[in-house]
């Protein structure tokens, strides 16, 4: 049974989310402020966090940044703030997804499932890689070339030098499209259509954020990318070498 921590100060919304997710088979605990949320994070050790942006004692964006300093736990940020700048700020801080109020409980549950599915895929792949790396070998393996990139579409894993690199759901969808169509130029609108089905609030500005984050994860120098290239006036393309 997966464990969900809800950090939401609005009692009615918090209770509604708790009841719905409990009925979906999750173990749920709820905190009404950031301080209590941090305490439950240590004690409860949840598999995912639903985090409200506006809390009485600490800004949810700051709390997200605090969590990201020590953990890669999936974070779904929720807020009544629906401006693009607010959503982009949340994603840049480290949230894996952003859901604007009001929202349906069915959509909330679907997004939680997606976050957990991706998180479990990464954990399984990391465990397999850990076992493989500790296996005895009598032959000396030559060093990998700079920034060796691999994408496992079945396990939904992005690997750099054989190590799993965390991506958001939308980042992986963009990377998968690039990987399967290397050298093809995609406009921002085409990339937007690729991920819109998973994140109804994604915008062209958010696409730029996803591209910037992917470059940080796979490029030796994100300021002079060798793999994810900007095609000025058109969009982006991906080159493996």
């Amino acid at each position: 049974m997966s464990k969900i921590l809800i950090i939401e100060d609005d009692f009615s919304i918090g209770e509604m989310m708790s009841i719905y997710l409990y009925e979906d088979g999750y173990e749920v605990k709820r905190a009404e402020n950031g301080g209590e949320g941090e305490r439950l994070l240590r004690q409860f050790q949840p598999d995912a966090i639903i985090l409200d942006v506006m809390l009485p004692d600490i800004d949810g964006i700051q709390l997200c940044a605090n969590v990201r300093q020590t953990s890669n736990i999936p974070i779904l940020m929720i807020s009544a703030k629906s401006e693009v700048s607010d959503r982009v700020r949340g994603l840049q801080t480290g949230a894996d997804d952003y859901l604007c109020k009001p929202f349906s409980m069915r959509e909330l549950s679907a997004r939680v499932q997606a976050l957990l599915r991706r998180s479990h895929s990464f954990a399984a792949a990391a465990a397999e890689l850990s076992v493989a790396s500790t296996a005895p070998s009598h032959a000396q393996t030559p060093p990998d070339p700079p920034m060796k990139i691999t994408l496992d579409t079945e396990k939904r894993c992005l690997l750099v030098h054989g190590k799993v690199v965390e991506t958001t759901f939308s980042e992986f969808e963009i990377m998968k499209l690039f990987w399967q169509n290397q050298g093809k130029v995609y406009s921002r609108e085409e990339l937007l259509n690729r991920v819109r089905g998973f994140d109804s609030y994604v915008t062209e500005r958010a696409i730029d954020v996803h591209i910037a984050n992917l470059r940080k994860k796979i490029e030796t120098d994100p300021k002079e990318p060798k793999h994810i290239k900007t095609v000025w006036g058109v969009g982006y393309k991906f080159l493996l070498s």
Side-chain angles (χ1 to χ4, degrees):
M1 179 186 295
S2 296
K3 299 188 291 186
I4 310 297
L5 172 60
I6 299 172
I7 307 177
E8 165 65 71
D9 64 317
D10 187 297
F11 181 80
S12 60
I13 295 177
E15 280 296 290
M16 189 182 304
M17 289 191 293
S18 298
I19 293 170
Y20 195 93
L21 292 175
Y22 174 79
E23 291 178 347
D24 267 0
Y26 297 105
E27 182 179 353
V28 183
K29 287 191 181 297
R30 186 172 70 88
E32 295 186 356
N33 56 65
E36 185 182 2
E38 290 181 308
R39 179 181 62 80
L40 284 176
L41 176 61
R42 294 188 298 268
Q43 296 178 355
F44 184 46
Q45 296 185 342
D47 298 297
I49 299 173
I50 299 173
L51 174 62
D52 186 24
V53 171
M54 301 178 68
L55 297 170
D57 58 342
I58 183 173
D59 180 68
I61 298 290
Q62 182 58 54
L63 181 54
C64 178
N66 294 347
V67 173
R68 277 291 168 261
Q69 291 178 5
T70 59
S71 174
N72 286 322
I73 184 173
I75 298 176
L76 169 59
M77 196 164 277
I78 59 174
S79 176
K81 296 181 177 180
S82 59
E83 294 295 324
V84 172
S85 59
D86 295 314
R87 299 196 295 273
V88 169
R89 185 176 172 223
L91 294 170
Q92 287 178 324
T93 303
D96 297 274
D97 200 355
Y98 193 107
L99 187 58
C100 294
K101 299 177 181 177
F103 50 81
S104 74
M105 292 297 107
R106 289 182 61 190
E107 181 178 8
L108 174 74
S109 180
R111 293 198 183 216
V112 169
Q113 288 176 19
L115 289 179
L116 291 172
R117 183 168 57 247
R118 179 176 61 82
S119 178
H120 293 159
S121 296
F122 276 125
E128 289 180 9
L129 289 170
S130 177
V131 171
S133 65
T134 56
S137 176
H138 300 292
Q140 194 168 20
T141 304
D144 288 329
M147 302 308 287
K148 182 178 179 181
I149 301 168
T150 306
L151 195 76
D152 189 327
T153 56
E154 291 185 1
K155 296 179 180 177
R156 295 189 62 83
C157 292
L158 173 63
L159 302 97
V160 177
H161 287 315
K163 295 183 179 179
V164 177
V165 175
E166 287 279 354
T167 60
T168 66
F169 199 89
S170 294
E171 287 170 4
F172 187 88
E173 288 300 313
I174 292 172
M175 194 66 198
K176 183 169 71 172
L177 186 66
F178 281 152
W179 185 264
Q180 294 173 340
N181 302 276
Q182 295 179 34
K184 181 176 179 179
V185 180
Y186 285 96
S187 67
R188 288 178 176 82
E189 183 178 0
E190 288 175 313
L191 296 174
L192 182 65
N193 290 334
R194 175 72 178 191
V195 301
R196 181 173 279 153
F198 305 103
D199 182 357
S200 58
Y201 292 103
V202 73
T203 65
E204 289 193 8
R205 171 57 184 147
I207 291 296
D208 291 336
V209 172
H210 290 319
I211 293 294
N213 288 337
L214 281 170
R215 282 173 170 166
K216 292 176 184 177
K217 295 170 182 179
I218 70 171
E219 301 283 0
T220 303
D221 183 358
K223 294 182 179 179
E224 296 185 8
K226 304 295 184 183
H227 301 291
I228 301 179
K229 297 277 193 177
T230 299
V231 181
W232 296 107
V234 183
Y236 300 99
K237 68 178 179 180
F238 173 78
L239 300 172
L240 189 56
S241 59

